Amino acid sequence: MDIMTTATVRGSCLDFAVANRDNGSEDAITAAKEMAENIGVEPVFKGTRIHWKRRQFGYQTEMR
């Protein structure tokens, strides 16, 4: 790759990152649903997972 091609690709990557940050994942999910419908697959996506914080009892955290 030469310098001009590298600069162009870098600019495109930056534009993509900024657009993705602004629009969030809604556009990606919408595009994925459209693609799934086009190929004849039911668009079902997993929901968010609940993260549990592991808590310790006071006597387990003390150093012996």
Side-chain angles (χ1 to χ4, degrees):
M1 263 193 206
D2 60 350
I3 294 292
M4 292 304 292
T5 305
T6 304
T8 304
V9 171
R10 182 181 167 271
S12 298
C13 185
L14 179 64
D15 292 341
F16 172 77
V18 169
N20 193 31
R21 180 184 63 199
D22 293 342
N23 298 332
S25 62
E26 292 89 20
D27 290 341
I29 292 174
T30 304
K33 285 181 182 180
E34 289 175 3
M35 281 192 266
E37 290 172 356
N38 288 341
I39 62 172
V41 178
E42 186 175 341
V44 177
F45 301 101
K46 290 183 179 181
T48 57
R49 192 182 125 199
I50 298 173
H51 296 280
W52 295 96
K53 184 172 184 177
R54 185 169 226 188
R55 301 190 185 266
Q56 296 179 342
F57 294 105
Y59 65 87
Q60 291 177 334
T61 60
E62 294 174 6
M63 294 186 67
R64 296 180 188 208

